[in-house]
Amino acid sequence: MGDPTGEPGSSMHGVTGREQSFAFSVASPIVHTDKTAKFDLPVDTEHKATVFKLFSFSKPHMRTFHLSWISFSTCFVSTFAAAPLVPIIRENLNLTKQDIGNAGVASVSGSIFSRLVMGAVCDLLGPRYGCAFLVMLSAPTVFSMSFVSGAAGFITVRFMIGFCLATFVSCQYWMSTMFNSQIIGLVNGTAAGWGNMGGGITQLLMPVVYEIIRRAGASAFTAWRIAFFVPGWLHIIMGILVLTLGQDLPDGNRAALEKAGEVAKDKFGKIMWYAVTNYRTWIFVLLYGYSMGVELSTDNVIAEYFFDRFHLKLHTAGLIAACFGMANFFARPAGGWASDFSAKYFGMRGRLWTLWIIQTAGGLFCVWLGRANTLVTAVVAMVLFSLGAQAACGATFAIVPFVSRRALGIISGLTGAGGNFGSGLTQLLFFSTNQFTTEEGLTWMGVMIVGCTLPVAFIHFPQWGSMFLPPSKDPVKSTEEHYYASEWTEQEKQKNMHQGSLRFAENAKSEGGRRVRSAATPPDSTPNNV
Amino acid sequence: MAIQKILFASLLICSLIQSSHGAEKERLFSELEKGSLEVTTKPSREGAGVVLDAGIDKISITWKLSSTGSKKEAEFKTIKVKLCYAPPSQVDRPWRKTHDELFKDKTCPHKIVARPYDKTTQSIDWILERDIPTGTYFVRAYAVDEHDHEVAFGQSTNEAKTTSLFSVQAISGRHKSLDIASVCFSVFSVLALLVFFVNEKRKAKIEQSK
C-alpha cells in the first residue's frame, strides 16, 4: 500500500475502490491511533490519516488529497482540451475525419505506457516528484500546440500530451502513503472520480476561453492556439504547488524511504506471472475498456457531435459535453457504493450482478444516444449513459481487490491500461472512418459495450461462486484461504511470505454474503488489514 | 446532484429549442428554382494552379437575374450570397456534407453579403476572410422571400460543381510572438522543476552530512 520499501506493484495498492465499508473514518479498535502525533487529523501508527475530511486543507493529509486530485484533473483538462475546439481546429489544419479520429486515439494511447512506467518512477522518486515531474515536463507539450500546422503535428502533440494521464498512478500512490487502508478505498475512489471530472471541465473551459480571446480581437485560427496556454499554465502552477506545498510522507520527505524493508521484497516476475495467468485479470481488462474506455472516447467526440448534429454554438456544445464528464463527481463513487451495498446482502455475486447491470445499462443508453434525433433526448440519453459508464468504473474497482492479493498492483495497472486500450480501439473502429457517421458510431459503441460486458458472467470465484454458479462444493477449494494462498509456492509459504494474503482472506470472508456475515463476524467489525 | 444536473441541462435545452428552427425542416434544395440568378466570380489573381490567400486576396462577385427570367421573381426579397465548398473539399469531411434538406445542408456555411433584391446587376469586391479554411470553392446566391425562406438560387459553377472553382489557402494562425511565448513558458517549466530538484537534493545532502 504505497509501500515505502518499493515492493513491486505496491505503488498501485489502494488504486482499488471499495473495501469492506464505504467509510469516512476507521472504526476498528485494532487500528491504534497515535495520540502523540501532532496532526490536525487523527492518525494511525504510521501517521496515516484515519479520517477523511473532505473540506479541510490540513497539512499534510488533506492538503495532499487536494493537490493530488487537482493535478490529476489538470492532466485530464489538457489531454482533452482539443476535443471541444475540434470544429475550429479542423478548419485551421485542414483535417479529415480520419485525422481527427487518429488524434483522438493518440491522445489516449500514450498513457498506456506512461502509467506502467509511472509506478516505477514513484517507487524511485516518491509520488511528489513523480507527479511534479510529469506535470511540469508535459507543460511544454501543451504549449507546443501553438506550433502545429497540419494533421501530423496535431496527432503528435495530442499523443505527447496524453502521457500526462499517468498522474493517475502518482495520485493513487500518494493517497496511499497518507491515508489508512481502511478508508483508502473511498479516498482513492473520490480522487479518481474527481480527477476524471477534468475531462468534463475542459469541455466547458476551452470554448469559453476561446470565445473570450476571440472577442479580444484574435482571429479564430489564432485564438484556439492561445487558448491552449491556459491548460499549460495550469500544469506549471500545479507543479509548483505540488513541489512547495506537498510532501511525500506524513512525517516529511523521502528520508524515511531509505529504511530497510520489514517485509521481504517480492519478485516482479512472480507477481507478473500470477497476474497474467489469472483469467479474471483479462476479463477485467476487457470490461474496463468498455466503461472507462468508452468514457474517454466519448470525451473526445461528444462536443463535436453536438456541434455538428444539432447546429449548436461552440460553447453550448461544450456545456452539454461538460455534463458528461462532470457526472464523475458522484457517479464513480456511487458505483462503488452500489457494489458495497449489494455485497452486504448477496456477497460477491451481488457485486458481479451490480457491475453487469450498471455497465449494460450504460451501453443501452449509449445506443439510445446514437439514435436520438432531437436535442433533448440526446442530452438525456447522454447523461444516463455517463452515469452508467462512470458508475461501472467504480463498481469494477470494487471487485478488482478480490481477484488477487499478491498481484493486486499489477492487475490494477493492467486494468487501467485496458481502459485506455479500449478507448483507442473504439475510437479507431467507430469514429475515425467514413464507414460510420458519429451517431452510427455511438450506436455501435453501445452495442459493443453490451456485448463486451457479458464476460462478467464468466468471473467465478471458487469460494463465492459467480453470477449464475454457486461456490465450489469442495471443502478445501471453497475457502478464501485456499484461493489467496494458492498464489504462493510451497517454499514461499514455508518462509511465511503469504501471511498478508491469509489476513486478507480472513477479512474477505464477508464477500460470502449475508448468511456468512451474520454467522461468522459481528456486523460492525472492520477488516484489520487489506 | 444528479437531478440538479439533469434539470439544469433540460432547462438550458428547452430555452435553446425556443430559439431554433421552425417550419424549415422539410424544405428541400431540389425544390428550389435553379439558375434563376446568374452569378460570376473573378478572383483577384487568376491562372492555373493559383491559390488565393485568405485575408489578402479578393473576389469580385456579380449577380443578376438570369437572361431566361424567373417564375418566382415576385417573391424575391433579399439575395444572400455565400461561399460554398466544392466537392473536392467535402471528401472525408462529413461536417461539410451536402444534404437535400436545407436546414441540414452544410455546403455553404460562409456568408459573403446579403442585399435586397434589385433588378439591376449587383456586385461586390469581397476580401477573403481570415477564418476561411483551405479548400476549393464556388459562390452561390440564394434568393430569399419575405419569410426568410429560400426560393431560388444561382451559382458561379455548373450543376456538377466542376467549373470556375477557385482555391484558397487559409492563414496558418501561427504567430512568431506566440511561438516565442510558448518556448519561454516551456523552458520556465523545465527549469523551475530542475531548480527545485537540485536545490532539495543539495539541502538533503547538507542535512545528511551534519
Side-chain angles (χ1 to χ4, degrees):
Chain A
M1 192 182 30
D3 198 331
T5 55
E7 190 188 292
S10 65
S11 56
M12 291 305 281
H13 280 185
V15 150
T16 62
R18 315 281 78 93
E19 258 66 36
Q20 250 57 30
S21 50
F22 194 82
F24 273 87
S25 65
V26 172
S28 166
I30 302 169
V31 175
H32 295 292
T33 323
D34 184 340
K35 293 201 166 46
T36 61
K38 287 190 172 48
F39 292 107
D40 286 342
L41 298 175
V43 294
D44 63 14
T45 48
E46 283 179 290
H47 291 175
K48 296 186 185 181
T50 53
V51 160
F52 182 43
K53 261 202 197 144
L54 207 48
F55 297 109
S56 131
F57 283 86
S58 66
K59 190 173 148 154
H61 307 97
M62 289 315 300
R63 194 184 274 195
T64 301
F65 172 77
H66 292 293
L67 282 174
S68 202
W69 81 259
I70 296 178
S71 347
F72 181 36
S73 197
T74 301
C75 292
F76 251 91
V77 167
S78 54
T79 303
F80 294 101
L85 296 180
V86 160
I88 311 296
I89 301 176
R90 68 190 179 193
E91 307 295 21
N92 187 188
L93 305 180
N94 206 17
L95 303 175
T96 61
K97 184 169 183 189
Q98 287 85 335
D99 297 327
I100 298 173
N102 289 337
V105 173
S107 68
V108 296
S109 312
S111 65
I112 295 178
F113 310 104
S114 65
R115 282 181 180 197
L116 298 174
V117 169
M118 193 56 167
V121 170
C122 285
D123 287 334
L124 280 174
L125 296 177
R128 183 173 69 108
Y129 270 118
C131 180
F133 260 81
L134 188 54
V135 159
M136 292 186 89
L137 291 181
S138 51
T141 61
V142 181
F143 287 117
S144 58
M145 268 295 188
S146 56
F147 295 103
V148 165
S149 53
F154 185 60
I155 294 172
T156 309
V157 171
R158 283 206 78 182
F159 177 69
M160 293 196 303
I161 297 179
F163 277 102
C164 69
L165 284 184
T167 33
F168 171 68
V169 175
S170 65
C171 174
Q172 307 277 282
Y173 185 117
W174 209 0
M175 296 293 91
S176 51
T177 66
M178 290 284 175
F179 291 90
N180 181 276
S181 60
Q182 308 239 7
I183 52 170
I184 193 60
L186 170 61
V187 174
N188 269 334
T190 312
W194 289 8
N196 283 14
M197 260 202 323
I201 295 172
T202 196
Q203 314 272 356
L204 194 51
L205 176 72
M206 295 305 283
V208 167
V209 169
Y210 165 78
E211 199 57 35
I212 292 173
I213 297 172
R214 274 269 292 186
R215 301 238 174 141
S219 69
F221 294 169
T222 306
W224 75 266
R225 297 168 189 273
I226 302 177
F228 264 84
F229 275 66
V230 171
W233 290 328
L234 285 175
H235 272 241
I236 298 180
I237 293 171
M238 283 319 298
I240 293 180
L241 284 178
V242 161
L243 286 171
T244 51
L245 298 179
Q247 55 190 69
D248 293 297
L249 297 166
D251 293 317
N253 288 322
R254 288 212 66 206
L257 294 174
E258 314 306 294
K259 76 171 189 248
E262 295 144 350
V263 175
K265 269 202 177 168
D266 208 341
K267 278 210 216 110
F268 179 78
K270 283 234 126 155
I271 302 183
M272 195 65 191
W273 174 255
Y274 285 113
V276 162
T277 51
N278 190 331
Y279 76 95
R280 301 172 193 83
T281 305
W282 300 106
I283 298 186
F284 276 108
V285 168
L286 177 67
L287 284 174
Y288 203 57
Y290 286 90
S291 54
M292 168 57 82
V294 297
E295 180 189 334
L296 298 180
S297 300
T298 311
D299 275 338
N300 260 333
V301 306
I302 197 75
E304 192 191 358
Y305 175 67
F306 276 99
F307 180 86
D308 287 332
R309 181 111 194 263
F310 299 103
H311 322 291
L312 304 174
K313 290 211 183 68
L314 202 66
H315 51 262
T316 317
L319 175 66
I320 296 175
C323 295
F324 179 83
M326 300 286 276
N328 260 305
F329 183 75
F330 54 86
R332 186 168 174 142
W337 178 86
S339 187
D340 284 347
F341 185 76
S342 57
K344 244 183 10 165
Y345 298 100
F346 303 108
M348 178 53 70
R349 179 179 283 184
R351 289 192 191 273
L352 293 167
W353 273 100
T354 304
L355 174 58
W356 182 81
I357 291 171
I358 294 177
Q359 194 157 322
T360 305
L364 293 172
F365 289 127
C366 185
V367 171
W368 188 25
L369 171 62
R371 299 181 65 88
N373 283 319
T374 66
L375 186 54
V376 179
T377 33
V379 173
V380 171
M382 182 200 77
V383 170
L384 292 171
F385 166 42
S386 75
L387 297 178
Q390 289 156 15
C393 291
T396 304
F397 274 100
I399 303 178
V400 167
F402 298 102
V403 171
S404 158
R405 179 65 186 86
R406 188 175 187 184
L408 174 56
I410 294 191
I411 294 180
S412 305
L414 282 170
T415 305
N420 283 58
F421 182 76
S423 177
L425 185 65
T426 44
Q427 286 182 83
L428 201 58
L429 284 175
F430 302 124
F431 302 109
S432 304
T433 61
N434 286 321
Q435 200 176 358
F436 304 109
T437 60
T438 309
E439 55 262 34
E440 283 168 4
L442 287 167
T443 310
W444 285 114
M445 184 167 81
V447 170
M448 199 162 178
I449 295 172
V450 174
C452 291
T453 307
L454 292 173
V456 177
F458 295 121
I459 296 184
H460 178 86
F461 291 94
Q463 67 274 31
W464 299 314
S466 65
M467 273 170 80
F468 297 106
L469 298 172
S472 161
K473 299 252 185 336
D474 184 312
V476 171
K477 287 206 190 130
S478 63
T479 60
E480 286 79 0
E481 283 81 5
H482 177 85
Y483 179 80
Y484 292 108
S486 64
E487 295 180 313
W488 304 88
T489 64
E490 279 311 313
Q491 294 162 311
E492 289 164 336
K493 283 186 196 170
Q494 275 173 9
K495 289 192 218 159
N496 263 336
M497 287 170 79
H498 65 308
Q499 286 303 323
S501 292
L502 287 182
R503 280 200 294 274
F504 179 75
E506 181 61 38
N507 292 318
K509 282 199 200 297
S510 57
E511 293 304 306
R514 203 195 226 154
R515 284 173 291 122
V516 174
R517 279 186 152 224
S518 52
T521 50
D524 58 356
S525 92
T526 42
N528 176 31
N529 199 352
V530 197
Chain B
M1 255 258 166
I3 313 291
Q4 281 175 24
K5 278 215 163 61
I6 294 177
L7 277 177
F8 176 71
S10 35
L11 256 174
L12 201 72
I13 303 324
C14 289
S15 54
L16 285 169
I17 289 179
Q18 310 296 12
S19 51
S20 65
H21 45 243
E24 302 161 73
K25 276 205 169 140
E26 284 86 36
R27 292 182 309 115
L28 303 175
F29 181 74
S30 46
E31 289 169 359
L32 299 182
E33 199 187 35
K34 287 197 276 257
S36 324
L37 299 163
E38 246 173 56
V39 181
T40 49
T41 55
K42 194 174 185 314
S44 53
R45 287 184 296 131
E46 278 183 297
V50 160
V51 178
L52 305 168
D53 289 316
I56 302 173
D57 284 311
K58 289 189 206 175
I59 307 189
S60 188
I61 309 167
T62 46
W63 64 95
K64 64 177 200 268
L65 187 66
S66 83
S67 39
T68 51
S70 162
K71 298 190 194 76
K72 297 198 175 172
E73 197 198 337
E75 295 171 48
F76 292 4
K77 186 110 189 294
T78 321
I79 305 294
K80 288 187 180 169
V81 186
K82 294 186 178 175
L83 189 68
C84 312
Y85 293 111
S89 286
Q90 292 175 301
V91 171
D92 286 337
R93 293 176 177 83
W95 60 90
R96 294 181 185 169
K97 200 159 167 230
T98 300
H99 291 268
D100 203 21
E101 293 100 326
L102 281 169
F103 84 101
K104 265 193 194 175
D105 187 29
K106 309 268 179 78
T107 323
C108 304
H110 305 286
K111 297 193 178 71
I112 297 177
V113 74
R115 284 212 196 135
Y117 172 63
D118 197 312
K119 285 197 204 290
T120 60
T121 308
Q122 300 287 306
S123 72
I124 183 174
D125 257 344
W126 186 66
I127 298 183
L128 290 161
E129 271 162 29
R130 287 158 58 87
D131 61 357
I132 304 287
T134 303
T136 324
Y137 296 89
F138 62 95
V139 170
R140 183 181 284 167
Y142 285 103
V144 166
D145 70 9
E146 60 198 9
H147 302 291
D148 208 27
H149 293 168
E150 293 88 348
V151 289
F153 75 92
Q155 57 194 31
S156 63
T157 182
N158 61 1
E159 198 157 336
K161 299 185 239 177
T162 51
T163 59
S164 303
L165 304 174
F166 50 92
S167 295
V168 178
Q169 173 66 39
I171 61 165
S172 73
R174 291 179 56 188
H175 281 279
K176 235 201 187 88
S177 52
L178 215 60
D179 293 344
I180 294 174
S182 176
V183 170
C184 285
F185 283 115
S186 306
V187 167
F188 172 72
S189 184
V190 177
L191 272 183
L193 177 69
L194 288 176
V195 163
F196 261 106
F197 190 65
V198 166
N199 230 7
E200 276 206 15
K201 285 278 171 240
R202 232 174 9 100
K203 280 200 206 144
K205 261 207 187 112
I206 296 175
E207 285 244 351
Q208 260 191 359
S209 60
K210 276 195 191 149

